[in-house]
Amino acid sequence: MEFRHLGRSGLKVSEISYGNWLTHGSQVEEDAARQCVQAALDEGVTTFDTADVYAGTKAEEVLGRALKGVRRESLEIFTKVYWPTGPGQNDRGLSRKHITESIHGSLRRLQTDYVDLYQAHRFDHETPLEETLKTFDDLVRQGKVLYVGVSEWTADQIGRALKIADEMGFDRIVSNQPQYSMLWRVIEAEVVPLSRREGVGQIVWSPIAQGVLTGKYLPGQQPPEGSRATDASGSAMIARFMKDDVLTRVQDLKPVAADLGLSMAQLAVAWVLQNPNVSSAIVGASRPEQVRDNVKASGVKLDDDVMKRIDDVLGPVVERDPGRTVSPATRP
Ligand SMILES: NC(=O)c1ccc[n+]([C@@H]2O[C@H](COP(=O)([O-])OP(=O)(O)OC[C@H]3O[C@@H](n4cnc5c(N)ncnc54)[C@H](OP(=O)(O)O)[C@@H]3O)[C@@H](O)[C@H]2O)c1
């Protein structure tokens, strides 16, 4: 496993991290969840990503139990706040009240005194940015959070936050967590150029497009049994990629991967890691073999000809519109 700095910070993260959205506390049983975490640890993954909202807070509990006994200093544990974690009007968003209450719940569930990175899971249009950033800064000073980041923020929102932090002397955002894959490149036009200038690293989610870039979903056919596309909550999430034109072009990537001696999943993860603004690619897994497959993308270099071949194969099905980075207009 190779390691990269998280943005311009001093923190190093494994360039492939493990995330438990839709799996822990939900699609997969606890035994399988533990096996996936153990496989990640065995393969040198040190960075683990979760969120308060995953599986209605159960995902943090499962991850906390799975990592129990592992030397805390050898891990980077990331979590997030914003989406609803309860029925009340203050159980969501980025107010001082919800952030403060949510971090305490996350620390309890993860069985740790601090998280390495605390991320605003979306932009909250109902809370002054100063209130959110001051609260994050207080958590850093209290030692409950070591670094702060955001997720799915636009370049404008990240730029505004950095300006306020600089003016007020608050801790700066070091990372953004956007969706990024061969099929979803919406950060390239605006978020990445600003982030490179400002030292913000991308920790990218769904690098395998939720399994689609493994090539296991065939156009015009039923999805394989037990895959995310057959899962009750997962099927809605993966739907945007389950279109015949996308699935057909993904099949055409198979010779590209084969020529390089890579699996399709490895090619997909290696592709996002070619972007130097990417600090880490967060992979998900429902089975430990998947983790062992995906981590082999660490350190793989793809030359310009390969990158061009991929672009030629995927052509018009690649999404590039920066306007696709959106947070809800009002709190969910
Ligand atoms: N910040 C955000 O808003 C946000 C949103 C989404 C995700 N995330 C983060 O990103 C992490 C990763 O997201 P993701 O799970 O969508 O990522 P992904 O790595 O693109 O997809 C993971 C899924 O693809 C399938 N898969 C993975 N490797 C495979 C392989 N080698 N062969 C066959 N199938 C394979 C598995 O699903 P099946 O076996 O079930 O098919 C697995 O659960 C999340 O856990 C979370 O930490 C963040």
Side-chain angles (χ1 to χ4, degrees), residues 19-318:
N20 70 356
W21 175 58
L22 297 177
T23 52
H24 292 191
S26 182
Q27 183 194 1
V28 306
E29 299 297 331
E30 182 134 352
D31 238 22
R34 280 171 190 260
Q35 286 173 31
C36 288
V37 168
Q38 192 54 52
L41 291 165
D42 292 345
E43 297 290 340
V45 171
T46 58
T47 308
F48 291 83
D49 182 77
T50 186
D52 56 356
V53 69
Y54 292 170
T57 72
K58 288 203 289 288
E60 285 186 333
E61 288 176 14
V62 174
L63 186 63
R65 286 194 289 272
L67 290 174
K68 204 169 164 61
V70 181
R71 183 175 176 270
R72 181 64 185 86
E73 295 82 349
S74 303
L75 298 171
E76 301 84 45
I77 300 178
F78 297 178
T79 194
K80 321 185 192 80
V81 56
Y82 169 84
W83 294 102
T85 48
Q89 73 270 22
N90 282 312
D91 293 329
R92 60 204 68 218
L94 300 175
S95 68
R96 172 171 288 269
K97 177 171 169 64
H98 183 55
I99 291 175
T100 305
E101 290 169 348
S102 190
I103 187 66
H104 289 136
S106 291
L107 295 177
R108 197 174 57 245
R109 290 186 291 269
L110 287 163
Q111 303 186 49
T112 180
D113 298 329
Y114 64 93
V115 290
D116 296 272
L117 179 72
Y118 201 39
Q119 303 158 102
H121 210 156
R122 289 295 182 273
F123 189 84
D124 180 0
H125 293 280
E126 295 189 44
T127 303
L129 200 40
E130 289 82 353
E131 176 178 334
T132 299
L133 297 174
K134 175 78 172 80
T135 310
F136 275 176
D137 191 63
D138 288 344
L139 295 181
V140 172
R141 283 164 204 266
Q142 291 164 14
K144 291 174 181 162
V145 161
L146 304 189
Y147 296 90
V148 292
V150 299
S151 173
E152 289 292 336
W153 283 27
T154 64
D156 175 63
Q157 290 160 349
I158 295 170
R160 277 161 54 202
L162 292 170
K163 187 162 178 289
I164 291 171
D166 290 346
E167 284 169 5
M168 310 287 284
F170 297 156
D171 211 57
R172 284 186 123 224
I173 288 165
V174 297
S175 62
N176 177 46
Q177 187 176 130
Q179 180 176 178
Y180 188 49
S181 69
M182 288 178 199
L183 292 171
W184 194 265
R185 307 187 193 179
V186 306
I187 57 170
E188 288 181 349
E190 297 175 1
V191 169
V192 167
L194 171 100
S195 297
R196 287 190 81 161
R197 273 198 311 278
E198 296 287 350
V200 172
Q202 312 299 320
I203 309 157
V204 305
W205 60 268
S206 296
I208 313 171
Q210 305 194 39
V212 167
L213 286 168
T214 64
K216 69 181 174 182
Y217 297 110
L218 301 173
Q221 293 192 25
Q222 289 299 313
E225 202 55 43
S227 62
R228 184 173 294 182
T230 62
D231 178 58
S233 39
S235 57
M237 299 295 174
I238 201 173
R240 71 161 66 111
F241 297 120
M242 298 294 285
K243 298 175 188 137
D244 280 357
D245 56 344
V246 176
L247 301 182
T248 303
R249 284 177 185 267
V250 168
Q251 291 303 310
D252 294 339
L253 288 174
K254 284 184 170 165
V256 182
D259 286 352
L260 297 164
L262 298 174
S263 71
M264 287 280 279
Q266 289 159 8
L267 180 69
V269 177
W271 185 91
V272 299
L273 291 173
Q274 304 308 300
N275 185 328
N277 189 228
V278 170
S279 297
S280 188
I282 320 172
V283 298
S286 63
R287 287 186 272 285
E289 312 79 88
Q290 295 175 347
V291 182
R292 285 192 278 270
D293 177 12
N294 304 348
V295 294
K296 294 193 181 66
S298 177
V300 169
K301 300 276 176 289
L302 303 179
D303 64 29
D304 292 348
D305 289 351
V306 172
M307 297 299 270
K308 164 119 190 14
R309 237 179 119 188
I310 291 169
D311 289 350
D312 291 345
V313 168
L314 293 177
V317 301
V318 174

